[in-house]
Amino acid sequence: MVCALLVMTAAVANASNLLYGPWVHNVDEHGFTVLWVTAEPSLDYVEIAPDDGSAFEAKARPRYYQTANGRRTMGRYHAVRIDGLEPGTSYRYRLVGKVLTDGSNPYRLVFGHLRLISNKKRTCKVRTLDAKAEVCRFSQFNDIHFNDARFTALAKPVDMDKTDFIVLNGDIVSYSQHIDSVAKHSIVPITEQAERLPIVYARGNHEGRGLDFDKVYSLFPTSTGEFWYSFRQGPAAFIVLDGGEDKPDGSHEYAGTADYDAYRQRETEWLKQAVKDPSFVSAPVKICIVHIPTVAYKNSWYSQLWITENWAPILEKAGIDLMLSAHHHKWICSEAGQDGKGYPLLVNSNMERMDVVVTKDGIDVKTYDVNGNLCHTWKK
């Protein structure tokens, strides 16, 4: 049998095939996932090096591939998982790849030159999470709705050396009609931040709209394979939830395509178990992140009432210290005992960045507008 031949070039060229990214997601104490989009279909990989100041080319670095059923995959959308790392440790990474120039012969795939496709002006690096860290710091953005300029302005002041991750709490886009557009508007405005700071992604109701809604997960894969998951950083344990759409499944806007009641019910069963996980139970501070808040107002839409009725009792019994939400496009502070739930809840404005610092002794929240003005504060 003739073996498949992958035409390789030893030297790494300088031109880049990178279109969007890279960005980091699904980080934990021992690994993370790097994602990026290329202009042309290519066969790419990730190289990892310690953040020790040594030249990347000083020696051979470990390579990590995207594979399926024993074979490396090619395409424009790339997601590579790196595991086996140390907690709370900074690592450098770079992307290398080659464009597929002729795939007509299954036994002789032809590629262009091997190229370094990472951004050459900055060193891509990321720090793994650490459950033993004394502090957890992160920033939240939400309800951007394709406004790239505002997104960039809000993110620019983020101190990347003192921030553990960034939260995208839904409706970064207004719909998911084309997955390229979702990737572009979710990542390009925060390119410098996303290549270093892991993204914690909570899907909004608008990301569930459009023909490519089912491809959004591929941009933000999680440890559970769903848009709901949990993780721990230092003193803080996090539950990330997805409230789905805001109106009943039978609403005419969904044209008979919605099945969110069953989706949320399945999520509820997961939540009941997630709050019993030892890593969550033992955390001094417990935080829930969800786009649609669990507040019951007279004029609240369907799903907001549904999750308040079904999720608030579980989260209250689990002893969460704070819920961080979005959706309403304005600052809302609902303290414990108000609006149908027994824990404090903050809704961040779509015009502000929320900065959060968590220690074992409490939570400090501040929000800032695009001009850097302090807008709101909250402490527990």
Side-chain angles (χ1 to χ4, degrees):
M1 185 191 311
V2 179
C3 295
L5 175 63
L6 304 182
V7 178
M8 298 287 292
T9 302
V12 177
N14 292 320
S16 176
N17 186 35
L18 185 63
L19 187 60
Y20 310 135
W23 66 98
V24 180
H25 196 254
N26 194 21
V27 66
D28 57 32
E29 287 194 297
H30 300 290
F32 54 87
T33 301
V34 182
L35 303 102
W36 65 100
V37 183
T38 51
E40 302 290 338
S42 57
L43 185 69
D44 298 351
Y45 60 84
V46 179
E47 291 183 336
I48 295 292
D51 188 16
D52 58 4
S54 63
F56 220 108
E57 300 80 6
K59 61 179 180 179
R61 304 297 186 180
R63 295 180 180 180
Y64 297 82
Y65 306 111
Q66 182 174 358
T67 64
N69 309 115
R71 182 173 174 177
R72 291 173 62 188
T73 59
M74 294 171 288
R76 293 184 55 242
Y77 281 77
H78 308 268
V80 173
R81 181 68 187 174
I82 290 89
D83 280 313
L85 306 180
E86 295 297 320
T89 303
S90 180
Y91 294 88
R92 293 174 294 160
Y93 68 92
R94 69 178 188 178
L95 316 179
V96 182
K98 51 186 179 177
V99 174
L100 178 68
T101 58
D102 186 355
S104 61
N105 186 339
Y107 294 108
R108 188 177 176 85
L109 302 178
V110 181
F111 296 91
H113 294 295
L114 196 65
R115 304 178 186 274
L116 177 64
I117 61 175
S118 300
N119 191 307
K120 302 171 189 64
K121 296 181 181 179
R122 299 184 298 272
T123 299
C124 294
K125 62 173 67 176
V126 62
R127 186 173 60 249
T128 52
L129 299 184
D130 184 3
K132 296 180 181 179
E134 294 184 356
V135 63
C136 173
R137 297 183 178 92
F138 62 95
S139 295
Q140 173 177 307
F141 308 89
N142 52 270
D143 300 291
I144 302 296
H145 290 288
F146 289 127
N147 192 322
D148 293 358
R150 185 171 76 238
F151 198 5
T152 298
L154 288 172
K156 187 176 180 179
V158 171
D159 187 338
M160 289 186 281
D161 292 325
K162 295 181 179 179
T163 303
D164 295 310
F165 54 86
I166 54 178
V167 175
L168 302 187
N169 204 343
D171 290 4
I172 305 302
V173 298
S174 297
Y175 41 79
S176 302
Q177 190 72 358
H178 303 290
I179 195 60
D180 268 26
S181 180
V182 178
K184 176 183 178 181
H185 293 286
S186 297
I187 300 302
V188 172
I190 56 168
T191 296
E192 292 188 39
Q193 293 81 11
E195 68 185 22
R196 288 187 57 182
L197 299 179
I199 290 175
V200 171
Y201 185 80
R203 187 177 70 154
N205 55 303
H206 278 266
E207 275 92 7
R209 302 174 183 179
L211 292 178
D212 278 356
F213 79 94
D214 56 337
K215 298 177 182 178
V216 174
Y217 175 83
S218 67
L219 303 180
F220 304 104
T222 73
S223 58
T224 62
E226 304 282 359
F227 282 116
W228 57 79
Y229 55 101
S230 62
F231 66 97
R232 173 82 177 264
Q233 169 62 10
F238 295 86
I239 294 284
V240 181
L241 296 174
D242 176 12
E245 263 294 1
D246 51 11
K247 292 175 281 294
D249 287 348
S251 294
H252 71 275
E253 291 91 343
Y254 310 141
T257 66
D259 191 26
Y260 283 104
D261 280 342
Y263 176 80
R264 283 185 291 260
Q265 189 57 52
R266 188 159 57 90
E267 186 174 1
T268 302
E269 297 308 310
W270 173 86
L271 176 60
K272 291 177 181 178
Q273 300 305 313
V275 296
K276 297 177 183 178
D277 186 273
S279 180
F280 183 83
V281 173
S282 64
V285 178
K286 302 173 178 65
I287 296 175
C288 178
I289 297 170
V290 59
H291 177 73
I292 297 177
T294 57
V295 287
Y297 301 136
K298 284 185 178 180
N299 60 346
S300 293
W301 285 6
Y302 174 79
S303 67
Q304 190 163 307
L305 295 174
W306 193 102
I307 65 175
T308 303
E309 179 181 352
N310 289 275
W311 293 352
I314 300 172
L315 295 169
E316 183 175 344
K317 184 177 179 180
I320 71 164
D321 298 282
L322 179 64
M323 174 176 283
L324 297 177
S325 294
H327 191 56
H328 286 268
H329 293 205
K330 64 181 180 180
W331 168 266
I332 298 174
C333 177
S334 176
E335 295 291 356
Q338 297 178 338
D339 307 316
K341 45 43 176 191
Y343 46 83
L345 182 153
L346 301 178
V347 173
N348 188 45
S349 166
N350 63 321
M351 303 298 290
E352 298 166 20
R353 180 188 75 254
M354 177 183 285
D355 291 346
V356 184
V357 179
V358 184
T359 67
K360 63 180 179 59
D361 299 316
I363 310 170
D364 188 328
V365 177
K366 295 181 174 68
T367 72
Y368 299 88
D369 64 18
V370 293
N371 296 314
N373 299 312
L374 178 65
C375 299
H376 301 93
T377 64
W378 184 88
K379 282 189 177 183
K380 180 178 180 181

